[in-house]
Amino acid sequence: KLAGLEVAAWVADIAEPGAYGLDTPTLRATFAYDGDKKPARRLIVGAPRPEGGFFAKLADAPEVFALSRESFD
């Protein structure tokens, strides 16, 4: 199911330290691609959002986005 994750909303251009629960993640996942054409990516999932879903970011990128709750059911 993780292969089908979609961004539900963009939240912030830069994650502030301690914001969005990303300093104490709910989940960390590493995505590896078949072959060596793309490097593996690490997903960090933080706190639940008041609107539903979770805050998240890629470990090597500053942007914060939201993932829907359905992504984890």
Side-chain angles (χ1 to χ4, degrees), residues 38-54:
K38 292 183 178 182
R41 304 292 302 264
R42 287 191 321 127
L43 175 70
I44 301 170
V45 179
R49 294 177 65 211
E51 305 90 339
F54 293 87

Side-chain angles (χ1 to χ4, degrees), residues 1 5-6 8 26 48-49 51-54 66-73:
K1 178 111 182 183
L5 288 178
E6 292 186 24
T26 301
R49 294 177 65 211
E51 305 90 339
F54 293 87
L67 297 173
S68 69
R69 177 74 184 165
E70 292 78 25
S71 297
F72 298 92
D73 289 341

